[in-house]
Amino acid sequence: MNAGKLIVFSGMDACGKTTNRNHVDMRLNSTGIGYACTREPGGTPYAEAMRKLILSKEFDAPPLSEVLMFYAGRVEHTKTLIKPYLERGYHVLTDRYYDSSLAYQSIQCPETKAIHDACFPHLVVPDMTLLFDVPAEVALERMQRTRSGEMDKIENRGLEYFTQVRNNFLTMASNDPNTIVIDATRPLSEVMDVTWNHVKHCIGYETDED
Ligand code: Z5A
């Protein structure tokens, strides 16, 4: 049992998870509470190097290779960053974790679940996953608006793919009591407030505002 909590910020591209994780980071920063922010793919020098390879348009690796890369980075990220922080009592806020592979890679790679299961003993089950839910059309519109034409390899997979990704996230959420679905089409200030309240509750932080 870890003293720190693992909190995952999850959802489709441009759903707002990074903006909300950064907002929580800002709110926690002045509290004296120990925590670390990280992300996937990446989070450590080794896994960040893999991130560049995975997202690069230079390579067109088979879906199985892509999944193996995600999990190779994830196992290392978990061992060298996530677990040590949790064991020291720090909370870890990660922008994506393994549910992203189950939502995205399982569409093109039927071996995804088997690879996930093989790696599972080396991973940590999140204490809370916040799923920032937006329809695929909204995600694509935000991506096109904010990426100024520079979409990465996965972002280029189109509406049908992203609709399936969203459905996969929602199906997983409906089977996981630790996943909270947040309507991320609402105004950003509202989404930020809801997110902060869930994080406070999860880590047991009480403030005068409560
Ligand atoms: N991927 C995968 O396939 N399998 C895996 O296992 C993992 C990842 C771990 C990179 O992920 C790619 O890796 C990603 C999934 C895949 N590719 N695809 N496709 P990433 O997380 O690094 O990148 P991303 O998914 O593209 O996330 P992002 O760029 O960081 O976007 P975001 O965090 O979801 O959203 P944001 O940057 O916070 O917000 C986007 C914009 O929307 C921004 O201008 C905000 O101001 C705006 N926004 C946010 N919330 C609102 C609301 N409520 N209203 C209006 N506007 C808003």
Side-chain angles (χ1 to χ4, degrees), residues 9 15-25 95 188 192:
F9 291 69
C15 63
K17 61 191 170 39
T18 307
T19 305
N20 280 280
R21 197 211 55 184
N22 291 345
H23 177 246
V24 170
D25 181 10
D95 192 335
L188 183 54
M192 283 175 169

Side-chain angles (χ1 to χ4, degrees), residues 2-9 21 34-44 47 70-71 73-99 122-127:
N2 292 307
K5 303 282 188 194
L6 176 61
I7 301 177
V8 181
F9 291 69
R21 197 211 55 184
Y35 70 98
C37 288
T38 187
R39 71 171 182 180
E40 289 201 350
T44 63
F70 274 115
Y71 276 91
R74 178 164 297 135
V75 167
E76 193 269 348
H77 178 217
T78 305
K79 180 178 165 55
T80 63
L81 190 148
I82 295 177
K83 281 186 178 172
Y85 270 117
L86 293 175
E87 283 161 11
R88 282 158 53 203
Y90 283 63
H91 305 300
V92 176
L93 315 178
T94 183
D95 192 335
R96 296 194 182 281
Y97 198 43
Y98 57 69
D99 58 327
H122 303 276
L123 306 176
V124 177
V125 176
D127 294 283

